[in-house]
Amino acid sequence: MTEVRARAARHKGQLNFETELKALLYAYGDVSIPLPETVRVLDEIVTDFIIETCHQAARSATYSNRQKIKVDDFKFAIRGNEAMLGRVQELLGMDKELKEARKQFDVAEGEKGLEKGRGGRGRGKRKRGEEGEEED
């Protein structure tokens, strides 16, 4: 966190990641119901980190004369933390692979439907005697 921002009224009683932090604490060996102060402090740390990272990314976008923040701005903001940057790149690569796999699956499913003359949508009437299929 590069610059100190006012924290006075930012998080007044609001917990953004309460359930996730409780699960994380339990996964790392804490009791099943952690102290509320622990969850509150961790929530504040995580929220501050996210806000600061977003501010850094916005600064990077502004420096590049852009109104919108891109993924590359976030990569630039976390470039100092190699482990985090590597994890982000890994997740982005996995997301790209999943999108391509979904696209190929949708295309393959569409071709299969077109071969039968249905266009891959809805349930159409089948002709009698077509490739051993029964009548509807």
Side-chain angles (χ1 to χ4, degrees):
M1 295 181 204
T2 56
E3 62 187 60
V4 178
R5 297 189 188 273
R7 295 182 182 155
R10 186 186 297 170
H11 307 300
K12 276 280 201 236
Q14 176 186 357
L15 295 178
N16 298 315
F17 306 103
E18 182 177 12
T19 56
E20 292 88 352
L21 288 172
K22 285 181 179 180
L24 183 73
L25 286 168
Y26 184 67
Y28 277 98
D30 200 1
V31 294
S32 60
I33 302 174
L35 292 173
E37 295 83 17
T38 305
V39 175
R40 185 185 51 76
V41 168
L42 282 175
D43 188 87
E44 184 176 327
I45 291 169
V46 169
T47 303
D48 286 345
F49 172 77
I50 291 172
I51 290 170
E52 289 301 320
T53 305
C54 289
H55 282 297
Q56 289 174 359
R59 237 179 281 128
S60 174
T62 303
Y63 184 75
S64 301
N65 293 324
R66 282 185 276 108
Q67 293 287 324
K68 295 184 178 180
I69 301 173
K70 295 184 176 182
V71 174
D72 289 337
D73 297 323
F74 283 100
K75 287 182 183 178
F76 187 78
I78 61 170
R79 71 190 182 280
N81 188 337
E82 292 179 13
M84 189 183 311
L85 181 60
R87 179 68 175 149
V88 166
Q89 289 175 337
E90 179 184 344
L91 289 172
L92 288 172
M94 202 180 313
D95 183 52
K96 186 177 179 181
E97 288 176 19
L98 286 172
K99 284 181 182 177
E100 289 175 6
R102 278 191 209 111
K103 185 177 176 181
Q104 288 176 355
F105 181 74
D106 289 343
V107 169
E109 190 174 273
E111 289 174 1
K112 184 178 177 183
L114 287 174
E115 288 174 5
K116 291 185 178 181
R118 290 200 249 160
R121 293 189 181 147
R123 182 180 167 109
K125 292 256 182 186
R126 296 182 187 157
K127 295 179 184 176
R128 182 180 286 181
E130 185 178 314
E131 297 180 28
E133 295 177 352
E134 295 180 19
E135 192 177 12
D136 277 343

